[in-house]
Amino acid sequence: VIPMGKIFIIVLTLLAAPLLGQHHGLWVVRNSLNSQKDLQQLNEIDQQLGLTDLYLQVRALGTNVYDQSNQNQILLDDIIEFCHKRQIKVHAWINVLYVWSKQNPPAASDHTFNLEADHLMTNADNDSPKLKLLRQKGVEGFFVDPGAFSNFNQIVSLSKSLIAELHFDGIHLDYLRYPGRGFIFSKYLRTQFMKRYYLDPIHLFKGFNQHISWQKLYGNFLLNELNNFVENLRIELNNINNKSMLSVAVKPDME
């Protein structure tokens, strides 16, 4: 993490195969590129590192975080133009399934947290997630499952706007995962699994009568839900621009 003024970034350097060349990417945290001064700092970083890609955070905690109506901020158009002049590709960095981090629900009625109660992730001991429990178990906050319809639709709508109107080069997905150990249930996921296999998966993880083979089946079911999210988003992006890139930040943790 490099603090430079108000810009806090993670430098992602990948030495790929010779045919692919070098990848020097920056993750830029939301609302840290607000002024011409910030752009100048970005220019200095580019001169030092030779940037190829910029990952600009545009959605976090279930909310689109760049306010184009704020006249005190530079616009996304300005950032895109700045980067493209320097041959830097710009990716919209979107936090996908991690949607809320506070005790009280968000005020906005159309927020994913308020619309998708049946999609909130929890463990086998609780029908509804509690923030205190989540934090005790090392979970950042509230997650929804990949099947949360309004969350997906909001991400698709945002992605279409960014690619078609603002000419972002790609979409970069972060927090496309489940919360952590044991937090692998939602009412929606349980219902979908029961419709397919006539068994509530929550019973496979309780007590001493654990069914390992069925647990693996549920694990594959969970993975397919993530895969389906990516595949469906890829289809939507192809309808806008089939050359747009889709990338995912992968958490290097088997859980």
Side-chain angles (χ1 to χ4, degrees):
V1 180
I2 302 178
M4 300 188 69
K6 289 184 292 182
I7 298 179
F8 291 85
I9 56 178
I10 299 173
V11 180
L12 177 66
T13 304
L14 173 64
L15 298 178
L19 290 177
L20 297 177
Q22 289 188 339
H23 181 108
H24 292 166
L26 269 69
W27 290 12
V28 180
V29 177
R30 55 188 178 273
N31 290 329
S32 61
L33 276 176
N34 291 324
S35 67
Q36 290 298 325
K37 182 179 178 181
D38 294 334
L39 282 181
Q40 181 57 41
Q41 290 180 315
L42 181 60
N43 185 55
E44 293 171 2
I45 295 171
D46 177 38
Q47 291 176 354
Q48 293 175 33
L49 300 179
L51 299 178
T52 61
D53 295 80
L54 187 78
Y55 298 87
L56 182 63
Q57 191 173 37
V58 298
R59 183 177 173 88
L61 297 177
T63 303
N64 300 341
V65 295
Y66 261 92
D67 183 5
Q68 292 286 81
S69 65
N70 188 342
Q71 296 182 357
N72 295 322
Q73 291 184 338
I74 58 173
L75 301 178
L76 289 176
D77 279 334
D78 300 323
I79 300 173
I80 297 294
E81 181 181 4
F82 175 91
C83 290
H84 284 174
K85 282 183 177 180
R86 290 159 178 79
Q87 306 303 310
I88 301 171
K89 296 182 176 67
V90 187
H91 309 256
W93 169 13
I94 294 174
N95 289 0
V96 181
L97 301 180
Y98 175 29
V99 298
W100 194 241
S101 63
K102 297 180 180 179
Q103 184 67 45
N104 295 325
S109 60
D110 61 347
H111 192 283
T112 295
F113 182 93
N114 294 323
L115 293 176
E116 302 286 14
D118 287 347
H119 292 269
L120 291 173
M121 300 295 298
T122 189
N123 62 4
D125 298 322
N126 296 271
D127 287 335
S128 299
K130 304 293 189 298
L131 184 59
K132 183 178 180 180
L133 170 66
L134 294 169
R135 294 279 172 81
Q136 287 175 346
K137 299 296 184 179
V139 177
E140 299 91 330
F142 296 99
F143 281 66
V144 292
D145 63 54
F149 308 111
S150 66
N151 187 52
F152 178 79
N153 290 336
Q154 289 176 16
I155 290 173
V156 167
S157 177
L158 174 62
S159 300
K160 287 182 176 180
S161 174
L162 295 175
I163 291 175
E165 300 172 16
L166 295 174
H167 308 295
F168 272 73
D169 299 287
I171 302 298
H172 181 66
L173 306 178
D174 199 2
Y175 285 102
L176 184 66
R177 60 175 176 84
Y178 298 104
R181 176 183 287 274
F183 287 83
I184 53 176
F185 303 100
S186 70
K187 293 178 181 178
Y188 169 81
L189 291 175
R190 290 170 61 189
T191 299
Q192 295 303 111
F193 191 83
M194 283 189 283
K195 285 181 177 178
R196 190 174 305 176
Y197 299 108
Y198 306 100
L199 182 66
D200 186 346
I202 209 165
H203 298 311
L204 303 175
F205 294 81
K206 282 189 172 184
F208 297 101
N209 298 319
Q210 297 183 352
H211 303 270
I212 302 301
S213 61
W214 278 89
Q215 287 183 7
K216 290 181 179 179
L217 184 65
Y218 186 63
N220 289 332
F221 168 81
L222 294 176
L223 291 175
N224 286 334
E225 289 290 309
L226 293 174
N227 289 337
N228 290 339
F229 184 100
V230 176
E231 291 172 0
N232 290 334
L233 182 58
R234 179 72 264 177
I235 292 171
E236 294 288 347
L237 296 182
N238 283 345
N239 291 334
I240 313 164
N241 180 354
N242 59 14
K243 294 182 179 179
S244 62
M245 291 174 280
L246 180 61
S247 58
V248 180
V250 178
K251 185 178 178 68
D253 185 336
M254 288 301 292
E255 293 178 1

